[in-house]
Amino acid sequence: MASIDTVKFSLFFVLLFWNCNFLPLSQGKEDHPYIKKASSFSSPSISDTSLNKAYDYIIVGGGGAGCPLAATLSQNFNLSSNSASQYFVSTDGVFNARGRVLGGGTSINAGFYTRASPRFISKVGWDAKLVNESYPWVEKQIVHRPKFSPFQRAVRDSLIDTGISPFNGFTYDHIYGTKVGGTIFDRFGRRHTSAELLASGNPDKLTVLVHATVQKIVFDTTGKRPKAVGVIFNDENGKQHEAMLGNNIQSEVILSSGAIGSPQMLLLSGIGPKADLQNLNISVVLNNRFVGKGMIDNPMNALYVPSNRPLHQSLIQTVGITKKGIYIEASSGFSQSNTSIHCHHGIMSAEIGQLSTIPPKQRSIEAIQAYVKNKRDIPVEAFKGGFVLSKVGSAWSVGELKLINTNVNENPSITFNYFSHPLDLKRCVDGIRMALKVVQSEHFTNYTLCKKKTAEKLLNLSVKANVNFIPKNANDTTSLEQFCKDTIITIWHYHGGCHVGKVVSPDYKVLDVDRLRVVDGSTFTESPGTNPQATVMMMGRYMGVKILRDRLGKLTGI
């Protein structure tokens, strides 16, 4: 084993997506010289693997897992990101979004921070000691105690009265009952994302290319097993470049592009079902029928909370965790504010009920984009309520991801098959019943200054506010099963596509391929905790430490 002094790690960190907002360029140059436009990259020839032109690690993706992974691997940069997302609609008809920005989903989500349960940690086979060291590493840098709002106080008290008890106070831990979790928004309302975790990295061993669109992974297929040797990417001007790994057998390309981006990149690079690849004229590097399979999204449904009191914006702070695997959360006040005008949060139904005036069959991507563009003209008074959200955790309904074409900029076809498993539908019904009790509680009616409404009235208001592409049925307010099916929305907790044992090994190396690994939520068979972002960021740190310890042993120093 070479000593730490002779192994000079050079980490090449590629942001996969072209739609990137980051620090102003002048600030990036002065304070973070390793942040560079993709066009500044000078490609070595494929045979030139000298240390000054080749890299020990190439990370594809700068999201929740990729940023802490890069910071850790660079061995010991302070970024802030504006929201940027790309629309997509699953074949189920549910409107969705994926983060295409430095920081990934942490730059466009509701900010809620909560750890995974001990059961999840045990199930995935992680070292509990290292896990309990990796979570605080994230928390000390970007996680805060929320500024508790009156709306969330009503949520808390209503959850406890509904029987979701005990109250566990403020905690990051996943505990049955009602609790207040952490947030990546500070007390001034500023969002802190995984991109800020790069501040813990070593700037001398880190290169961050923005506006770089990775086209595919490059393989050497002359040996018994395909071996990753680099990536091909386009810069912001459309020029193509190659970033190559060094000759060290421990150097790796690491996909951290998320549950959509990582399986999509494997398929575009020739790893996946042989017949599907051949239909798109993609050269087959490895036939693996499981790539893109096992896609799961936790179904969520929302109940509208009418209010005669103007509500301040309140993102998710409180959660009720039940033993049935149902999570009850809430948000409020998304109407005519600076953030709702200028940002698109993805969960349209939990923000802007007015879009329900567009008939479901006319809710095209273009119609939604036009609505978002024009929503600044809506009066402040038009929408001032909130939503109680019911999410089914550990969903059993499974779908798949398939390529439509070979253009990395376009979304693949994604099917989640919501409620195809009867247990998911049963739990949704149970969750809606709980949510109805929460909305009807005196804590809510006292706060909203609204009289208690019947379940039918609340369901009817919620159906009208719901935004997806699924036609509504006449019995939505009489059949909770039908209500669940017709008002399904997402909260971005999709996962799968690169499952352990089918696509990757327990240490996340791609099966039957050398020097290629996947580190993100695409490897999960269930979403950790009530919100996965804490665990995805922890995973980046955790795997960075594991990789370095495997490579350097005691010389790692972490």
Side-chain angles (χ1 to χ4, degrees), residues 28 32 70 87 109 154 196 269 283 292 329 392 439 445 468 487 515:
H32 313 295
Y87 306 113
N109 64 16
E196 295 183 32
S269 303
S283 298
E329 304 167 335
V392 175
V439 178
T445 56
N468 61 30
T487 63
R515 305 208 305 177

Side-chain angles (χ1 to χ4, degrees), residues 23 27-36 77-79 199 203:
L23 286 175
Q27 187 177 354
K29 283 182 177 179
E30 294 171 2
D31 300 335
H32 313 295
Y34 40 83
I35 304 178
K36 302 174 182 178
F77 150 55
N78 191 4
L79 292 178

Side-chain angles (χ1 to χ4, degrees), residues 143-263:
V143 186
H144 305 267
R145 187 167 185 154
K147 186 177 180 181
F148 207 49
S149 71
F151 182 86
Q152 292 293 324
R153 188 171 292 111
V155 176
R156 177 198 65 191
D157 296 341
S158 299
L159 286 170
I160 295 169
D161 275 6
T162 303
I164 306 177
S165 59
F167 178 57
N168 296 305
F170 170 73
T171 178
Y172 296 145
D173 292 336
H174 186 91
I175 310 172
Y176 292 124
T178 296
K179 74 163 196 172
V180 176
T183 177
I184 58 175
F185 288 91
D186 63 24
R187 63 191 182 94
F188 302 107
R190 296 177 301 205
R191 179 191 293 271
H192 297 265
T193 77
S194 66
E196 295 183 32
L197 299 175
L198 289 167
S200 299
N202 184 338
D204 296 327
K205 300 176 182 178
L206 182 64
T207 299
V208 180
L209 291 191
V210 293
H211 304 297
T213 307
V214 175
Q215 304 297 307
K216 66 178 182 179
I217 304 161
V218 181
F219 295 98
D220 177 355
T221 58
T222 59
K224 292 182 179 180
R225 290 159 52 105
K227 176 176 68 174
V229 296
V231 299
I232 292 175
F233 69 94
N234 288 352
D235 64 26
E236 70 274 15
N237 301 318
K239 183 180 178 181
Q240 194 168 95
H241 304 265
E242 287 182 334
M244 309 306 297
L245 290 173
N247 283 327
N248 194 307
I249 193 172
Q250 293 176 303
S251 296
E252 296 177 318
V253 172
I254 305 176
L255 294 183
S256 293
S257 305
I260 297 173
S262 287

Side-chain angles (χ1 to χ4, degrees), residues 380-536:
V380 175
E381 297 77 18
F383 184 80
K384 56 182 182 181
F387 282 89
V388 171
L389 314 171
S390 174
K391 187 187 90 168
V392 175
S394 303
W396 288 87
S397 303
V398 178
E400 66 176 348
L401 176 153
K402 300 184 71 172
L403 294 181
I404 298 174
N405 54 42
T406 58
N407 186 349
V408 70
N409 292 316
E410 295 188 16
N411 291 309
S413 170
I414 305 167
T415 304
F416 292 116
N417 290 322
Y418 297 105
F419 301 129
S420 58
H421 195 289
L423 182 58
D424 291 343
L425 186 59
K426 180 181 183 303
R427 286 189 292 164
C428 177
V429 170
D430 291 342
I432 294 301
R433 288 185 176 134
M434 285 186 232
L436 283 168
K437 290 180 181 178
V438 169
V439 178
Q440 291 173 318
S441 77
E442 64 177 12
H443 300 288
F444 255 125
T445 56
N446 289 342
Y447 175 66
T448 61
L449 304 178
C450 278
K451 292 182 179 180
K452 181 178 178 180
K453 288 183 166 51
T454 65
E456 183 178 1
K457 179 67 173 177
L458 288 170
L459 292 171
N460 187 53
L461 287 170
S462 302
V463 169
K464 288 182 178 180
N466 187 265
V467 178
N468 61 30
F469 296 95
I470 302 172
K472 304 300 180 280
N473 289 270
N475 63 342
D476 277 335
T477 58
T478 57
S479 167
L480 291 183
E481 287 83 0
Q482 196 63 55
F483 177 87
C484 284
K485 291 177 181 178
D486 288 356
T487 63
I488 176 70
I489 54 178
T490 185
I491 197 167
W492 303 325
H493 296 173
Y494 44 79
H495 49 281
C498 298
H499 282 166
V500 174
K502 295 181 177 180
V503 178
V504 298
S505 66
D507 55 358
Y508 305 108
K509 294 180 179 179
V510 176
L511 297 172
D512 301 316
V513 178
D514 291 331
R515 305 208 305 177
L516 180 61
R517 204 184 297 243
V518 179
V519 178
D520 57 32
S522 68
T523 63
F524 297 162
T525 57
E526 65 176 279
S527 182
T530 60
N531 185 301
Q533 77 164 346
T535 303
V536 171

Side-chain angles (χ1 to χ4, degrees), residues 2-15:
S3 72
I4 191 71
D5 293 325
T6 58
V7 177
K8 294 184 178 180
F9 287 124
S10 180
L11 181 81
F12 182 75
F13 180 40
V14 178
L15 180 62

